[in-house]
């Protein structure tokens, strides 16, 4: 069995920023059974959740912190639960696979389901690397950790836009980005409904103005 070349993978992750389409072609060239791809994605999500648990221990966020950032009672403290966030990541990731494949096909794309899975696998892998770096920086340079956190959001959209464009043969990554935003809106609506069913979500305090 071949060993994983972590140095090569790390180099590819760095190359994702300047040459995302080239990295996408290299990632899509990875040949593995579809079942193995789903398992790799699930494993990476477990690792991402584990890092979230570590972050919650090292840098706990309580209700007072949430109130200071978002306003009193605006966010349910349950959303800071790392296991819940892991479940949300799983929902978003597996949902993203089918949306990337289905919407791309409907728009005339030529990508395959395996390429959609590989796209999300690579996204989560890069996020795992970024999350690890954020944890380390949070111990020694909190300001840089916050900056890297913001950059990770930009990186995620950059990666997805170019990978999907390469996967489906689209020319414009900007048009793909617009499609991603619309798809995300749909996924967030569905997610908010599911969280509401579970009794977790945004809380609106309508009684603070008096009666």
């Amino acid at each position: 069995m071949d060993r994983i070349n972590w140095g090569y993978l790390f180099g590819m992750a760095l190359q994702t920023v300047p040459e995302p389409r080239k990295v996408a072609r290299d990632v899509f060239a990875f040949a593995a059974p579809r079942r193995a791809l789903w398992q790799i994605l699930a494993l990476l999500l477990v690792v991402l959740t584990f890092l979230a648990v570590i972050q919650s221990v090292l840098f706990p966020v309580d209700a007072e912190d949430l109130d200071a950032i978002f306003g009193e009672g605006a966010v349910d403290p349950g959303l800071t639960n790392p296991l819940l966030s892991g479940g949300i990541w799983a929902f978003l990731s597996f949902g993203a696979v089918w949306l990337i494949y289905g919407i791309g096909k409907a728009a005339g794309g030529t990508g395959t389901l395996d390429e959609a899975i590989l796209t999300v696998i690579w996204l989560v892998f890069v996020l795992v690397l970024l999350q690890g770096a954020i944890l380390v920086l949070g111990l020694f340079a909190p300001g840089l950790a916050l900056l890297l956190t913001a950059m990770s959001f930009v990186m995620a959209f950059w990666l997805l836009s170019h990978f999907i464009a390469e996967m489906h043969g689209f020319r414009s990554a900007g048009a793909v980005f617009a499609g991603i935003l619309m798809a995300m809106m749909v996924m967030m609506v569905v997610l908010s409904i599911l969280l509401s069913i579970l009794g977790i979500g945004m809380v609106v305090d309508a009684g603070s103005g008096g009666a």
Side-chain angles (χ1 to χ4, degrees), residues 37-54:
L37 294 179
W38 285 118
Q39 290 172 344
I40 292 171
L41 177 57
L43 178 60
L44 285 171
L45 289 170
V46 170
V47 175
L48 193 62
T49 302
F50 178 70
L51 291 175
V53 171
I54 296 176

Side-chain angles (χ1 to χ4, degrees), residues 20 23 42 44 61 68 90 93 123 128 133-134 161 203 205:
V23 173
L44 285 171
V61 178
S93 298
L123 171 64
V128 166
I134 290 168
S161 298
V203 179
D205 186 1

Side-chain angles (χ1 to χ4, degrees), residues 6-62:
W6 293 107
Y8 175 72
L9 290 176
F10 182 72
M12 285 181 62
L14 293 177
Q15 196 177 18
T16 299
V17 177
E19 297 182 284
R21 291 210 178 202
K22 178 181 182 302
V23 173
R25 290 191 292 270
D26 291 340
V27 171
F28 295 154
F30 177 72
R34 184 172 298 168
R35 181 174 181 177
L37 294 179
W38 285 118
Q39 290 172 344
I40 292 171
L41 177 57
L43 178 60
L44 285 171
L45 289 170
V46 170
V47 175
L48 193 62
T49 302
F50 178 70
L51 291 175
V53 171
I54 296 176
Q55 183 177 30
S56 69
V57 173
L58 295 177
F59 313 108
V61 178
D62 55 26

Side-chain angles (χ1 to χ4, degrees), residues 68-109:
I69 297 173
F70 299 103
E72 185 175 355
V75 177
D76 193 321
L79 290 174
T80 63
N81 185 316
L83 296 181
L84 176 61
S85 67
I88 292 174
W89 267 112
F91 169 80
L92 293 176
S93 298
F94 287 101
V97 168
W98 292 103
L99 287 175
I100 289 170
Y101 173 69
I103 296 178
K105 279 289 189 181

Side-chain angles (χ1 to χ4, degrees), residues 132-154:
I134 290 168
L135 284 176
V136 174
L137 286 175
L139 296 173
F140 306 103
L144 290 178
L146 288 175
L147 179 60
L148 186 57
T149 299
M151 290 176 61
S152 67
F153 286 100
V154 177

